[in-house]
Amino acid sequence: MKLARYVGGGRVAICNEPEPEPAQGGLVVETEASGLCSGELMDWYMEGKIPHVLGHEVAGKVLWSDDERFPVGCRIAPHHHAPCLKCAFCRRGRYVHCDTWKRTRLIPGGMAERFLVRGENLEDAHRVDDLDPRDAALMEPVGCVAKSIRRAGLEAEDEVAVIGLGSFGVAHLLCLDNPAKGYDLSARRIEYAASLGLSVGHVEDSKPADVVFICPGNEAALRRAEEIVRPGGKIVLFAPFPPENEPRLALNRLYFSDVSLIPSYSCGPDDTAQAINWIRRGRIRASHLVSDFVTIEALPEAYLAMKAGEILKAMVLFER
């Protein structure tokens, strides 16, 4: 079967490799749609994963099942990590720190014609027969947005700023209930977000806000957030920073202003459930976030284009 591997040096290769073997308690899924995550564009992160099969924003049809909740022929959207739901971390809702969550994954990965979902992963998987596979594949990335918004602990009167209008920035604006405005340096991204009816502007014109979400992991975005967050406000870090270029925090500014710095890493079952709810209600759809639907053969080119900021987001469709 065909799959997409990150092979190093910022390159993706399409390979032919063996089919995944069924496993007790699990599923074999025929992939219908698999989104390309912006996290998979970070060289510093991906180089440590070589050889790595891309894809964790995924939906498909069950080909083989050892779980009656997911019969053959149904459509499923699985999270590539799933918690045990029993440990101390899980009991407190800190799913991403559960040892089982860290260990679980899709095999070989979601950017493949077929993949295995082990029984453990089914603790965070959803039946999505009623959804278009392109929309269902957004479960995991929108779940990450749901967690980010939840961790922000927004109050009704909070005004919100979102820095970065890539797909995740747009997703935040679509899912927020509070008054929110998004900012970017790119005229193309600003224009696109505005076409969705979102309130947007150039980052140099960003206004004070009670809560600031930083979607790109770069120092300039952090500095701008530090400048515009109001006293007693919050800055939410949605992305990591390159280890070799971690920014220095303006700690005294944060301290004397009582500003909270809140990281938000990945998501868990509560967040994916919220994501599915938003998708079912039509609040957010693939048409809002995905600029390029491509074949797996076209993925290497789309990978480079997304990395260069030439397209907003790519999603592979496995049409048969």
Side-chain angles (χ1 to χ4, degrees):
M1 67 174 182
K2 293 179 182 177
L3 54 78
R5 279 195 181 277
Y6 181 83
V7 293
R11 295 181 301 109
V12 171
I14 307 304
C15 310
N16 279 289
E17 298 191 10
E19 302 273 342
E21 294 290 335
Q24 184 177 3
L27 314 172
V28 175
V29 178
E30 183 174 62
T31 314
E32 294 180 292
S34 186
L36 180 58
C37 176
S38 56
E40 294 175 313
L41 307 177
M42 301 185 300
D43 288 349
W44 65 267
Y45 180 67
M46 296 300 293
E47 291 294 322
K49 290 177 170 284
I50 298 171
H52 175 72
V53 176
L54 299 179
H56 53 262
E57 305 176 359
V58 65
K61 288 285 186 73
V62 176
L63 289 178
W64 179 91
S65 174
D66 194 31
D67 189 310
E68 61 184 11
R69 296 173 297 173
F70 302 97
V72 170
C74 78
R75 177 169 293 133
I76 183 175
H79 195 306
H80 59 306
H81 297 302
C84 71
L85 302 180
K86 299 173 183 177
C87 69
F89 285 122
C90 287
R91 291 196 300 271
R92 298 175 184 179
R94 302 173 187 174
Y95 303 111
V96 301
H97 305 294
C98 166
D99 287 340
T100 301
W101 190 95
K102 295 176 182 179
R103 183 180 68 248
T104 47
R105 66 186 183 91
L106 305 178
I107 299 172
M111 201 70 78
E113 290 183 302
R114 282 163 290 282
F115 60 89
L116 170 67
V117 186
R118 294 191 186 276
E120 288 178 314
N121 280 85
L122 297 178
E123 296 295 348
D124 195 2
H126 293 262
R127 284 276 300 269
V128 287
D129 306 275
D130 57 316
L131 294 179
D132 184 297
R134 294 169 294 184
D135 297 328
L138 295 179
M139 181 200 75
E140 188 273 343
V142 176
C144 294
V145 172
K147 178 180 176 180
S148 172
I149 293 172
R150 173 174 59 81
R151 282 182 61 79
L154 292 163
E155 299 177 9
E157 63 271 23
D158 283 338
E159 292 182 312
V160 177
V162 177
I163 298 180
L165 293 174
S167 60
F168 279 119
V170 169
H172 274 82
L173 291 172
L174 288 168
C175 294
L176 281 159
D177 290 323
N178 290 65
K181 187 167 184 176
Y183 302 97
D184 205 289
L185 292 169
S186 166
R188 179 188 301 174
R189 289 188 173 188
I190 293 170
E191 182 180 1
Y192 175 73
S195 75
L196 297 177
L198 301 173
S199 177
V200 294
H202 196 280
V203 71
E204 292 182 357
D205 300 320
S206 51
K207 305 298 184 183
D210 301 293
V211 179
V212 184
F213 293 89
I214 306 174
C215 292
N218 66 60
E219 186 168 1
L222 176 60
R223 292 286 167 260
R224 193 58 178 167
E226 291 172 340
E227 291 169 1
I228 67 172
V229 67
R230 290 189 176 118
K234 304 168 186 175
I235 297 174
V236 181
L237 302 177
F238 188 76
F241 296 85
E244 71 278 6
N245 193 30
E246 289 188 6
R248 291 175 58 87
L249 292 171
L251 291 177
N252 280 350
R253 158 81 169 100
L254 300 179
Y255 176 83
F256 286 110
S257 298
D258 279 331
V259 170
S260 300
L261 193 65
I262 303 171
S264 185
Y265 166 52
S266 192
C267 63
D270 298 342
D271 308 307
T272 56
Q274 176 65 77
I276 289 294
N277 177 266
W278 282 336
I279 294 167
R280 284 200 167 109
R281 288 162 46 198
R283 185 161 188 171
I284 189 166
R285 293 284 172 83
S287 59
H288 296 138
L289 305 183
V290 181
S291 58
D292 292 69
F293 295 97
V294 301
T295 63
I296 192 168
E297 290 84 2
L299 180 65
E301 183 178 353
Y303 183 91
L304 294 176
M306 185 172 164
K307 189 173 182 178
E310 297 168 1
I311 65 175
L312 184 67
K313 183 178 180 67
M315 179 179 285
V316 171
L317 299 182
F318 294 80
E319 297 180 352
R320 295 170 179 87

